Amino acid sequence: MIEITLSFLIFLIAAYGLIKDTNVVKSIICLNLLQTAVILIFILLTRPSGSSLPIHGFSPTAPVDPLPQALIITAIVIGASITALALMMTVKIFHYYGTLDWQEIIEKEK
Amino acid sequence: MYYILLSIIFVPLILAILFYLVNKPQFNSMVFLFQVLQTFFVYVLSRSVIAGESLSYVIGQWPMGIGIELRLDWLSLIFVGMTTLGFWAAYLYCWEEKCRDAKYFFFITFLQGSLVALFLVYDLFSMFILLELVTILGSILITYKKDGYAVKAGLFYLLYNSFGMTIFLVGVIILYISSGSLNMTVAGEIAQGLSQQVHIRFAVACFFVAFSLKSALVPVYTWLPIAHSSAPSSVSALLSGLMVKIGLYGFMRLHGVFSGPFLSQSLMIVGISTALLGVGFAVLQTDIKRILAYHTISQVGLMVVGISSGMEKGMYGGLLHMVNHFAFKTLLFLCAGILITNTGERHIKKIRGVMASNPFLGIAIVIGILGITGAPFFNGSISKYIIKKSVEGTFVTYGLYLVNFGTLVSFIKFGQVLGGPSRYPFSIEWVKSLSIALVATLVLAMFPIGIVMGGRILHGEFFSYYNLLKESGIYLIMAIFGWQFYHRVVDREHPWLKAKATKTLGFQISNAFLIVYFLVVVIFTRYQV
């Protein structure tokens, strides 16, 4: 239970960062944190304590459901690709505007 | 049939990779050959759906509920058909500029494959992956070979949408944990039995918020005007014509699955306020593409009003309006692209004389305007009429009249590009004019199609000369008042209103909107009976 509470805390911190912070890179980091928190909660909820690896012929106790693990890998890959693309765009924004602050970017557009 | 169903997904994806690997300008013309093939496949599939048999296959012959299911029924057929037509228009339109650019074709054909896949999968996690894929490809296409403002718009679009998709993932997880399956039918059946429980309702709230974000409903619409107005025109047409409807597809798809709490009066309130706010902003804009982008928001609001009534009539009206909106909004965005490239201006008051120098383009714009304002004998009128019928007797009807009035006012503003002396040449290459002619024909053809289908759904009460006369009268009165209103009020450009309308909301405040909206929806679904 404590792990789930902590993951939820990470989720809240990330959401707070997305609302509060005006730096583009920090927004990307917060989005990553948000996804990580969701993934953590998913893993924790689908892994009952005392279960073993989902490998055939290797389970002394009941194996965990292998599907969530496969889904999580996909979700992580998607998160990584979004981060890569977002960082690439951030570099372009910095070259053009000379700043990484959302507010300053809006002011410079005028 | 199974292989045809697979090939309409995988042929575009494989072709995209071939574009990237071959990387020769001569190879790019393969895209038209492939489109002909794709259209033929969609036609073959549509024959079997029209015959009344919806196709459903599980990839890899797994039992139902374990593998990824592909399903082609009426709803997905309409969306797949729209995708095919929309990409015809986009390929023809961008051919002249991009025909030597293999990377552009890589991205755009990949987008086509993922959109078709998104409309065919019947599995929540695959839906999540494809939604993210479409978001990534969309943001790449928005920023393609551009600088500054477009890159900022693309980044905003990417980050904001992936925030929304994270909420969608939460919903998928909760549904998986409580039902043990990702297949929509299996999970939906189990969730139906548990629909009173807190966590199922929370999952429904998550889906609701994610689809609201995708279809740009009221508090979470801020990404749309920026993204749609800064993309290249062929991509804007795709974004506004097709990709905005992904959220509505989700609403309709999941309404079929969780028929209880998903669509209700609350969605109707969100829809009508979206329609009103969108049209309010649109009237005050001066950037030609932003006018169209805000109109997308307002028209999506109308569709949501239609589908949220939950009745067959409203559903049908919403769906018909979706196809109509796809036709005329694609047409208008393509025409706006030609106006911008020929004049180098985006301000609506600086572009004049389209009719005098290029009557073909002028007529296309007139068709688009008459379609979107719902003029009699044009496609928008039928779907708007059916939506109005489906909410008859409630306060929403007055809102719909107001939305129509606002649409007319802002398209009187837009229509002024037609008049005046010809200062610019407005030349079009023949491939582009082919694309515009294709979409204009679709706009015109949707009127008889809508009449025939509308007669079937509404059982004859729909098409009568009395109704036609009444609606034409209302339209004319509104047009006269709109003309007056435009010249007396809107044209003066009150400075305070103008400052409010052109202000762009920042990323932080949009996130705050999203979180507040999420909390409100969660609380609302929790206590809804």
Side-chain angles (χ1 to χ4, degrees), chain A residues 18-19 21-22 24 31 34-35 38 42 45 65 67 71 74 82 85 89 92-93 96-97 102-103 109, chain B residues 125 129 132 136 139 146 148-149 151-152 155 159 162-163 166 170 173 176-177 182 507-508 511 515:
Chain A
L18 277 170
I19 296 173
D21 219 292
T22 57
V24 175
L31 197 69
L34 199 80
Q35 283 169 342
V38 169
F42 192 15
L45 285 178
D65 185 1
L67 188 65
L71 302 185
T74 321
I82 283 178
L85 184 61
M89 287 177 182
K92 266 190 144 181
I93 283 182
Y96 189 82
Y97 289 103
W102 287 107
Q103 297 301 325
E109 270 164 9
Chain B
F125 194 77
I129 295 171
E132 288 276 33
I136 291 173
S139 67
K146 285 198 167 188
Y149 185 69
V151 179
K152 185 213 144 201
L155 185 63
L159 294 183
S162 26
F163 190 6
T166 312
V170 175
I173 289 167
Y176 177 74
I177 290 169
L182 287 167
F507 186 63
Q508 289 77 33
N511 283 329
I515 289 169

Side-chain angles (χ1 to χ4, degrees), chain B residues 89-129:
Chain B
Y91 291 138
L92 287 170
Y93 186 86
C94 69
W95 180 248
E96 204 65 35
E97 294 142 25
K98 307 279 201 227
C99 63
R100 308 191 65 76
D101 195 344
K103 283 206 184 76
Y104 183 79
F105 281 99
F106 165 69
F107 289 125
I108 201 161
T109 32
F110 211 101
L111 179 65
Q112 184 179 8
S114 6
L115 272 174
V116 171
L118 174 63
F119 296 137
L120 288 180
V121 291
Y122 207 67
D123 165 292
L124 284 164
F125 194 77
S126 311
M127 204 170 173
F128 165 74
I129 295 171

Side-chain angles (χ1 to χ4, degrees), chain B residues 279-280 282-285 291 295 369 373 401-416 475 478-491:
Chain B
V279 88
V283 166
L284 298 167
Q285 300 299 316
I291 294 178
H295 269 291
I369 289 176
T373 50
Y401 278 116
L402 209 58
V403 172
N404 262 1
F405 182 70
T407 314
L408 263 168
V409 170
S410 77
F411 275 95
I412 286 169
K413 189 183 201 173
F414 191 90
Q416 291 194 335
Y475 183 80
M478 274 196 180
I480 293 165
F481 272 105
W483 181 263
Q484 293 291 327
F485 184 76
Y486 173 68
H487 281 288
R488 301 224 168 138
V489 183
V490 180
D491 209 19

Side-chain angles (χ1 to χ4, degrees), chain A residues 1-97:
Chain A
M1 202 57 211
I2 184 85
E3 295 102 327
I4 293 178
T5 320
L6 284 176
S7 324
F8 189 66
L9 210 63
I10 296 177
F11 187 91
L12 290 184
I13 291 168
Y16 175 75
L18 277 170
I19 296 173
K20 190 71 177 58
D21 219 292
T22 57
N23 190 306
V24 175
V25 179
K26 284 188 188 168
S27 296
I28 297 169
I29 293 172
C30 287
L31 197 69
N32 260 308
L33 265 182
L34 199 80
Q35 283 169 342
T36 314
V38 169
I39 285 167
L40 266 177
I41 295 173
F42 192 15
I43 291 180
L44 289 170
L45 285 178
T46 52
R47 198 196 118 264
S49 57
S51 51
S52 65
L53 292 174
I55 299 174
H56 185 64
F58 182 70
S59 16
T61 55
V64 295
D65 185 1
L67 188 65
Q69 326 279 326
L71 302 185
I72 286 310
I73 290 286
T74 321
I76 289 172
V77 170
I78 289 171
S81 52
I82 283 178
T83 314
L85 184 61
L87 287 174
M88 188 277 284
M89 287 177 182
T90 316
V91 172
K92 266 190 144 181
I93 283 182
F94 187 73
H95 278 303
Y96 189 82
Y97 289 103

